[in-house]
Amino acid sequence: MIRMALKRGLSGVNRIRGGGGGSRSAIVVSVFLCVFAPLVFFFFVGRGVLYIDSSNDYANASVKQSLDWRERLAMQSLRSLFSKEVLDVITASTADLGPFSLDSFKKNNLSPSWREVEVDTSFRNPQQNQTTSKRDTTSKGGSHQKVETPEKLYRRQLREKRRERRANELVQHHNDDTILKLENAAIERSKSVDSAVLGKYSIWRRENENDNSDSNIRLMRDQVIMARVYSGLAKLKNKTELLQELQARIKDSQRVLGESTTDSDLPRSAHDKLRDMGQVLAKAKMQLYDCKLVTGKLRAMLQTADEQVRSLKKQSTFLAQLAAKTIPNAIHCLSMRLTIDYYLLSPEKRKFPRSENLENPNLYHYALFSDNVLAASVVVNSAIRNAKDPSKHVFHLVTDKLNFGAMNMWFLLNPPGKATIHVENVDEFKWLNSSYCPVLRQLESAAMKEFYFKADHPTSGSSNLKYRNPKYLSMLNHLRFYLPEVYPKLNKILFLDDDIIVQKDLTPLWEVNLNGKVNGAVETCGESFHRFDKYLNFSNPHIARNFNPNACGWAYGMNMFDLKEWKKRDITGIYHKWQNMNENRTLWKLGTLPPGLITFYGLTHPLNKAWHVLGLGYNPSIAKKDIENAAVVHYNGNMKPWLELAMSKYRPYWTKYIQFDHPYLRRCNLHE
């Protein structure tokens, strides 16, 4: 059969060659008869022989040798007929047959189970099947190794690269199609929701289920809401049995919900409760559903919920303000212990050194008014630690009589290195009385006392809770408007709040040219916030006539004051004028920033924002880079760093200036 195929193929080739031409298809057919037909035949016969004679390695080797001999014979016959280029094409074509090529079957070590499927079982008897299967299991790890020529290896690598590239293209195309389909599905879904008929919408319908972690919880809560609606309708229509059933299901659902926040927190019985509630709601809908009544009931429930939200918001604001103005037990303990030990000292030991520096205008003077010992110590410690020459810095502390002993004792025990410090009692400033100071006179009035101390006052809304803070009743907060009276021999002074920390040397601030202005401060206005109209009542003609509502606001906390210009322009007199006009709080609410904006209007020089970064007491999104580059960091807001409600990510900037192993701090359980 092989000879006949070769003979026919060669005769066809000879006819083509003899005729000097011929069709291309005739050549292909002849080549196939000469080469491919014998090879295919050799393959199947070889496979059968290979399988039948696989009883030992010798048989396999003989079959392989036989196949190699036939291939060599065929190629010898062809070499005399074709040129080298044609033979290379034929050889490449046989390799390109893929899994049906002879090379593929030789190179792949196919399992015996595959062979059993491919080879006709009629070639062997049952006894041979048994022996062969046994031998196959013992020779499963065997493999035929064939050395490839460089040409074949190169072509195979090219084919693999083409297949890999095509596969990647198909995968990418599939991914793009998948994403496009998902986007289109989401768009269609949103359209269907937007165009849905609200009267037919039911949150517990199956098509509205989702894979969210709290989908069942929200479903149960929605069921409870609708159950309450139908309970009201059942009561209205005297459906006693249905009413009791609804109330029972509401209690069951609420008991299952408990404090759960995700579906994983729900008990196993949650699905049963969902099903039972759904059945009761379906029953109630059949008996009670009336669109107008349901709408009215839902509207009433919405109004009630809205009132509850407002009440809870007001309560939350009150509690936040309450927490902000409380003193932690540890700080109160520290103040009491220091006060006791201070008054046990002899008068000679209560004096600070270097008192001659207190009125030296050539030094760098700071004003700090505080009733918080720990906060004041952090301000002084941070300023001294970052100062280039601490011996030239003078700190003027003013506190109230309750904390006067504690403040003195702390700095006597912990002197600020070579810096000078002095502590005064605001209650000993005899010139600061109600006849001279309008705010003191107003604080003593009956209207002000009613505003502060009468809880059920009609104006005690959440908007006024912010100003019900003891600091607004303390003269320590208003003493900033009397700096020339407190320090009459100084030319410049840097005012600091007690909720700041210093991170850089501040002496360059004394070199800043204020250009004839009194106050040097960092502006806080943005595009539409922290401007004058936020702090002042521009419906009042006095305010509207004298100030620009879009004027930029600035911040207290770190302010450089030129006391010479202050005296020249009578800043304290301007403050008194406007404070007297605001006796009924019609120009601004309580506080010191609004009267400060008025008093220093047109007299404030803007400083570089890097000198003073604000908001660490209320804004959680301040950039870390801005904080670290700032000379002064300000914890303005309710979340002071010494309170438990302080933001944890900002607190380390403050606590690193506290020595927590100090004996007084350990005794009062003050720790990070």
Side-chain angles (χ1 to χ4, degrees), residues 260-462:
S260 301
T261 56
T262 61
D263 291 351
S264 59
D265 298 333
L266 294 173
R268 294 182 178 179
S269 60
H271 291 285
D272 296 335
K273 302 301 181 184
L274 279 169
R275 184 193 63 239
D276 296 341
M277 177 65 90
Q279 293 174 354
V280 175
L281 289 174
K283 178 180 177 181
K285 183 177 180 180
M286 292 178 61
Q287 298 183 21
L288 301 172
Y289 185 79
D290 184 306
C291 184
K292 187 176 181 180
L293 290 176
V294 170
T295 302
K297 186 65 177 178
L298 286 172
R299 185 180 293 109
M301 292 176 64
L302 180 62
Q303 292 174 351
T304 303
D306 188 47
E307 292 175 0
Q308 291 176 349
V309 168
R310 283 198 299 268
S311 176
L312 291 174
K313 186 177 179 181
K314 179 180 177 181
Q315 184 179 2
S316 175
T317 304
F318 172 77
L319 293 175
Q321 296 295 332
L322 182 64
K325 60 190 179 183
T326 54
I327 300 295
N329 289 336
I331 296 179
H332 181 70
C333 165
L334 176 64
S335 179
M336 293 298 100
R337 287 182 178 273
L338 290 170
T339 300
I340 293 171
D341 291 345
Y342 174 76
Y343 287 107
L344 292 176
L345 293 176
S346 60
E348 295 80 15
K349 295 182 179 180
R350 298 179 185 177
K351 296 181 180 179
F352 291 100
R354 295 181 288 275
S355 59
E356 66 277 4
N357 293 335
L358 296 178
E359 296 181 347
N360 185 349
N362 297 320
L363 300 179
Y364 305 113
H365 294 265
Y366 300 82
L368 175 61
F369 308 148
S370 174
D371 58 359
N372 188 325
V373 177
L374 189 63
S377 70
V378 170
V379 175
V380 174
N381 189 22
S382 63
I384 294 300
R385 190 182 297 186
N386 293 285
K388 292 181 179 179
D389 187 2
S391 62
K392 295 183 178 181
H393 295 258
V394 182
F395 293 88
H396 302 267
L397 272 69
V398 180
T399 186
D400 54 16
K401 61 182 178 182
L402 183 64
N403 295 281
F404 178 73
M407 197 76 73
N408 275 280
M409 189 64 188
W410 176 264
F411 288 105
L412 287 170
L413 293 172
N414 307 279
K418 296 181 180 181
T420 303
I421 195 164
H422 181 61
V423 180
E424 296 181 90
N425 181 1
V426 67
D427 296 303
E428 294 180 356
F429 295 161
K430 302 302 180 182
W431 52 268
L432 196 62
N433 50 55
S434 57
S435 61
Y436 175 68
C437 179
V439 72
L440 269 179
R441 184 173 64 254
Q442 293 169 9
L443 289 174
E444 294 174 358
S445 66
M448 191 69 71
K449 290 179 180 179
E450 182 183 14
F451 177 82
Y452 271 106
F453 302 112
K454 194 171 182 179
D456 58 347
H457 193 274
T459 62
S460 61
S462 59

Side-chain angles (χ1 to χ4, degrees), residues 93 115 194 276 317 390 414 476 480 486 550 583 630 633 644:
S93 300
R115 296 175 185 175
D194 293 339
D276 296 341
T317 304
N414 307 279
L476 284 176
R480 63 192 69 192
V486 181
N550 293 319
E583 185 169 359
V633 171
E644 291 185 3

Side-chain angles (χ1 to χ4, degrees), residues 9 17 33 157 224 247 337 402 438 445 468 482 513 556:
R17 295 178 64 186
L33 292 175
Q157 290 175 350
V224 170
Q247 290 175 344
R337 287 182 178 273
L402 183 64
S445 66
R468 296 173 177 274
Y482 300 95
N513 184 5
Y556 270 125

